[in-house]
Amino acid sequence: MTDGEELTLADEIVARARIHAREVREEYELAVDLGALEWTVSPRARRRAGLCRWNADSGVATIVLARRAYDHYDWPEFAGIVRHELVHAWEFQHFGESGHGERFRDRAGALEAPRYCEAFAEPRYVLRCLTDGCDWRATRHRASTPVKSPDQYRCGACGGPYEVEHAESGRTWTTAGGYGGAKAALGDEW
Ligand SMILES: [Zn+2]
Ligand SMILES: [Zn+2]
């Protein structure tokens, strides 16, 4: 039985990631306990291609993979992201903690996995000119002052006003007050 395409794609991502994890365990002798590892797919995540959560009480590591990253990357690159998260899972299982320190770097290097989670970074904010006929557009990863106070800056092409969009929610604002309101309204979703 199937619950539609959404589930099918998530199932496909998890199935491929699991197969790859078994290959990695054997080929690179990464002593990760796949039986104590859970997989899930985030349909919404835009900033991080993957992450690994650790429940110290249950000893279960959960690897979360972003569906958008699966769409965005070719499989060899996405497989690198899977290996990156597997190194986190391995660290959690053996040391109860994980980061991007020397131990992580060595392992990730041996697995030919990217060193940082941030490999996948869709812009968090999109700046868009409001002048008719001007298609100026810029992106920002951080809430810099042009993001927080668009009323103090101008379009980089025509000098007109622009709006800022919070890419994940689609909320837009054109003033510092609007930024504050959007941020407050979104709360944890920010
Ligand atoms: Zn990482
Ligand atoms: Zn413009």
Side-chain angles (χ1 to χ4, degrees):
M1 208 182 112
T2 168
D3 282 324
E5 262 178 47
E6 199 80 350
L7 183 61
T8 305
L9 182 58
D11 287 346
E12 173 190 316
I13 296 169
V14 168
R16 293 187 80 176
R18 279 184 194 274
I19 290 167
H20 190 56
R22 284 200 297 272
E23 291 168 353
V24 167
R25 231 182 82 90
E26 282 167 28
E27 282 175 33
Y28 298 95
E29 297 181 342
L30 183 72
V32 59
D33 179 357
L34 297 179
L37 183 61
E38 291 183 356
W39 301 86
T40 173
V41 171
S42 167
R44 290 180 54 250
R46 281 175 187 262
R47 278 186 301 156
R48 301 179 72 178
L51 63 93
C52 184
R53 283 199 297 256
W54 173 240
N55 184 324
D57 295 330
S58 63
V60 171
T62 303
I63 292 180
V64 183
L65 298 167
R67 199 191 65 200
R68 283 173 201 277
Y70 185 75
D71 291 339
H72 186 85
Y73 289 118
D74 292 332
W75 172 253
E77 287 170 289
F78 191 79
I81 292 157
V82 171
R83 293 196 297 280
H84 177 104
E85 302 309 333
L86 280 169
V87 176
H88 280 309
W90 168 79
E91 281 198 319
F92 280 130
Q93 289 178 350
H94 289 269
F95 310 101
E97 45 128 44
S98 184
H100 296 114
E102 206 181 320
R103 179 181 63 209
F104 184 92
R105 218 162 49 226
D106 288 349
R107 275 289 162 157
L111 265 63
E112 294 168 85
R115 273 175 56 184
Y116 298 105
C117 293
E118 298 92 315
F120 173 74
E122 276 194 36
R124 202 157 153 71
Y125 308 100
V126 180
L127 284 53
R128 206 177 289 113
C129 181
L130 293 171
T131 304
D132 277 345
C134 177
D135 58 5
W136 181 81
R137 191 180 169 280
T139 57
R140 293 287 182 276
H141 290 285
R142 289 175 204 288
S144 53
T145 45
V147 167
K148 288 181 179 164
S149 305
D151 37 353
Q152 288 177 28
Y153 296 82
R154 311 304 273 172
C155 161
C158 75
Y162 63 87
E163 67 173 8
V164 182
E165 180 186 320
H166 178 250
E168 188 148 329
S169 66
R171 281 196 179 248
T172 59
W173 59 89
T174 55
T175 62
Y179 166 79
K183 194 168 156 82
L186 287 168
D188 290 343
E189 301 284 296
W190 186 255

